[in-house]
Amino acid sequence: MKEDIEQSENRVNEEIRTPLIIQKVENGCYEKKQDRCMVYLSTFVAVCGSYSFGSCAGYSSPIQSAIREDLNLSIAEFSLFGSILTFGAMIGAITSGPIADYIGRKGAMRMSSGFCVAGWLAIYFAQGALALDIGRLATGYGMGVFSYVVPVFIAEIAPKDLRGALTTINQLMICCGVSVSFIIGTMMTWRTLALTGLIPCAILIFGLFIIPESPRWLAKIGHQKEFELALRKLRGTDADISEEAAEIKDYIETLEKLPKVNLFDLFQRRYSSSLIVGVGLMVFQQFGGINGICFYTGSIFESSGFPSDIGTIIYAIIQVPITALGAALIDRAGRKPLLLVSGTGLVIGCVLTGVSFYLKGHEIAIKVAPILAVTGILVYIGSFSVGMGAVPWVVMSEIYPINIKGAAGSLATLVNWFGAWACSYTFNFLMTWNSFGTFILYAAVNALSILFVIKIVPETKGRTLEQIQAAINAS
């Protein structure tokens, strides 16, 4: 009787220790389900940096006339104020990788937030062009660092089945930041609009005290205890992290045997595949015309005969839900299908817009030309938002081995910001040369991007970062 009582008690205790939430896996066994609340919270905190990015990018458009009037700025002074953002972003892009590798992903985001806060305050208190430019340069630097470290941090903390969707939220929040700046900028003064830029920075700075550091970065620098604590915090206290931890450790040990790399070492044959994919996607993303079209949407609509205010509001509203659609599809459809659909839509949008300018220039179907222009621009921005806007950043965060991720990520981000500057700077010159030819040129670049995706870009859906990089190295 005593033995039966003891066995019964043991069974009861065993049942109590059994987790209340279990999930069935394919082989018929049961495992403890991961608690993903901390992953979602960490992603939310990180993408506050993406929203800050969008606020910086969208700031100058709605306040142009008001700020020029208040501070008596010439066209040249305001043009410098607008364009110096990209120079700050290029500096941020160059330094983002080494900084994120040296002080960690959280440290890089904290530093970037500090630059953005200082920049917004300089703009708010500005009494002349110099303070405005210093503030704009500082926010641009913060943008450049955010553009690299946010997608990398999310990719390193997310489970493989959520990585694509969570990383795409980066682009979604950038679009939200731009759209909100466009809309509320028409309702408040330029100084008040600058103060709104402090809100996402404040949330990010405080949130960084709550969320864990990237486990992969902690493993890379040899902080074993912190690595396991961070991974357990992200996956849940009851989750089995042994397999994932072992895979990360094995991969880090393999990388430790490789020599340290600098920017010039990236061009070795062993890294050529991942470098071509990451940099190539950034080239096609920018030289397909996005920043020229984004910065000068109003003038494009005016030139085609469509009301610019109505067109700009539609433009601002449409990109957010379509980017959200892309985020929902990326882990289901995959990276390559979204890029191919996006590239096809970009070609169609450019051709439609180009044809509208051709019709207007030759005075053919005058009433149809404005409709074609607005349709083309909306097809273009919708197609960009669903794939080419977000997916290159997702792929960039996935394909680079962690020993070159800092240097390679900096190079890809630098190329991206250089393309942004080159496209926005040359757009007006190209439009003066030939409006129809400008959009046909962009259509040709986007057609080449489709071939590049088909031939070169690997599918990374449903694989761990270590599996992706092993496959690329093998190829």
Side-chain angles (χ1 to χ4, degrees):
M1 287 178 64
K2 187 176 180 181
E3 286 178 357
D4 289 342
I5 291 169
E6 287 176 351
Q7 289 174 2
S8 177
E9 287 176 348
N10 288 337
R11 281 197 300 270
V12 170
N13 290 334
E14 197 62 41
E15 288 174 1
I16 291 171
R17 286 195 295 269
T18 303
L20 294 177
I21 302 174
I22 55 177
Q23 63 178 17
K24 192 170 183 179
V25 294
E26 289 180 1
N27 61 7
C29 299
Y30 287 85
E31 65 175 13
K32 294 172 184 175
K33 189 174 182 180
Q34 292 183 1
D35 180 3
R36 293 176 169 177
C37 293
M38 184 53 71
V39 172
Y40 296 137
L41 177 61
S42 300
T43 302
F44 168 75
V45 171
V47 297
C48 287
S50 308
Y51 186 92
S52 180
F53 179 140
S55 299
C56 297
Y59 178 75
S60 61
S61 181
I63 53 88
Q64 179 173 350
S65 57
I67 201 170
R68 284 190 60 201
E69 219 173 278
D70 285 357
L71 299 181
N72 295 318
L73 300 181
S74 66
I75 293 176
E77 286 174 326
F78 185 82
S79 296
L80 177 61
F81 170 72
S83 62
I84 203 171
L85 185 78
T86 56
F87 285 99
M90 279 190 266
I91 299 169
I94 294 168
T95 59
S96 59
I99 287 171
D101 283 347
Y102 184 69
I103 64 174
R105 293 13 176 174
K106 284 174 61 177
M109 286 190 282
R110 190 176 287 116
M111 187 200 72
S112 184
S113 298
F115 271 92
C116 286
V117 168
W120 285 123
L121 290 175
I123 292 171
Y124 176 77
F125 289 109
Q127 298 298 324
L130 180 61
L132 281 177
D133 292 340
I134 292 172
R136 189 74 164 162
L137 186 68
T139 56
Y141 181 84
M143 280 176 62
V145 176
F146 276 139
S147 64
Y148 166 73
V149 74
V150 170
V152 166
F153 174 75
I154 296 172
E156 290 181 349
I157 66 167
K160 64 183 180 181
D161 59 317
L162 290 177
R163 191 177 61 243
L166 293 181
T167 310
T168 309
I169 296 175
N170 170 58
Q171 182 68 23
L172 175 63
M173 293 301 285
I174 292 172
C175 292
C176 288
V178 172
S179 297
V180 170
S181 292
F182 274 13
I183 294 168
I184 68 173
T186 61
M187 307 174 189
M188 56 181 64
T189 67
W190 60 271
R191 293 188 191 275
T192 307
L193 185 61
L195 286 181
T196 64
L198 299 174
I199 298 171
C201 297
I203 297 172
L204 177 58
I205 291 170
F206 286 114
L208 288 173
F209 290 105
I210 302 171
I211 65 174
E213 179 57 273
S214 162
R216 286 177 169 86
W217 180 77
L218 291 169
K220 178 175 177 282
I221 62 172
H223 290 191
Q224 188 62 33
K225 186 177 179 182
E226 291 87 345
F227 156 69
E228 292 179 358
L229 286 173
L231 189 60
R232 186 165 295 285
K233 195 172 182 181
L234 288 164
R235 300 296 180 257
T237 54
D238 293 329
D240 181 8
I241 62 168
S242 57
E243 186 178 343
E244 185 177 6
E247 188 175 7
I248 293 171
K249 287 179 193 173
D250 290 343
Y251 187 67
I252 296 296
E253 286 173 6
T254 303
L255 291 177
E256 288 299 319
K257 298 173 185 175
L258 298 174
K260 301 293 181 183
V261 299
N262 56 41
L263 194 61
F264 297 104
D265 293 331
L266 295 178
F267 300 97
Q268 296 176 16
R269 186 178 180 84
R270 74 179 77 170
Y271 304 128
S272 60
S273 295
S274 56
L275 191 68
I276 289 169
V277 171
V279 174
L281 284 174
M282 295 303 177
V283 168
F284 285 114
Q285 184 195 62
Q286 291 300 329
F287 286 92
I290 181 58
N291 272 292
I293 293 171
C294 178
F295 288 179
Y296 303 105
T297 302
S299 63
I300 293 171
F301 288 139
E302 283 180 7
S303 300
S304 66
F306 192 86
S308 63
D309 53 347
I310 297 174
T312 303
I313 291 171
I314 296 172
Y315 173 97
I317 292 171
I318 197 173
Q319 61 180 342
V320 175
I322 294 180
T323 305
L325 175 64
L329 291 175
I330 191 167
D331 279 322
R332 297 177 185 179
R335 282 59 159 162
K336 285 186 76 167
L338 281 184
L339 284 171
L340 292 174
V341 170
S342 178
T344 304
L346 290 172
V347 172
I348 294 170
C350 287
V351 169
L352 287 174
T353 309
V355 168
S356 75
F357 279 105
Y358 181 86
L359 294 176
K360 186 183 178 187
H362 290 78
E363 297 185 353
I364 304 170
I366 299 297
K367 293 182 180 179
V368 176
I371 298 171
L372 276 178
V374 72
T375 303
I377 294 297
L378 295 181
V379 167
Y380 181 95
I381 192 59
S383 301
F384 184 86
S385 298
V386 81
M388 192 57 82
V391 177
W393 294 105
V394 175
V395 174
M396 183 207 73
S397 69
E398 294 174 328
I399 60 168
Y400 294 135
I402 199 164
N403 67 314
I404 68 162
K405 186 169 278 189
S410 291
L411 178 61
T413 310
L414 174 63
V415 168
N416 184 280
W417 281 110
F418 174 78
W421 170 79
C423 184
S424 59
Y425 180 76
T426 58
F427 182 80
N428 282 326
F429 295 106
L430 288 171
M431 290 290 284
T432 304
W433 162 66
N434 190 316
S435 300
F436 168 70
T438 299
F439 285 95
I440 296 304
L441 179 64
Y442 291 153
V445 173
N446 288 310
L448 288 175
S449 75
I450 296 173
L451 296 176
F452 179 80
V453 170
I454 293 171
K455 296 289 186 181
I456 305 293
V457 178
E459 180 55 74
T460 60
K461 181 187 76 167
R463 298 155 117 188
T464 66
L465 298 182
E466 291 71 29
Q467 288 169 345
I468 294 165
Q469 289 144 20
I472 289 174
N473 290 336
S475 66

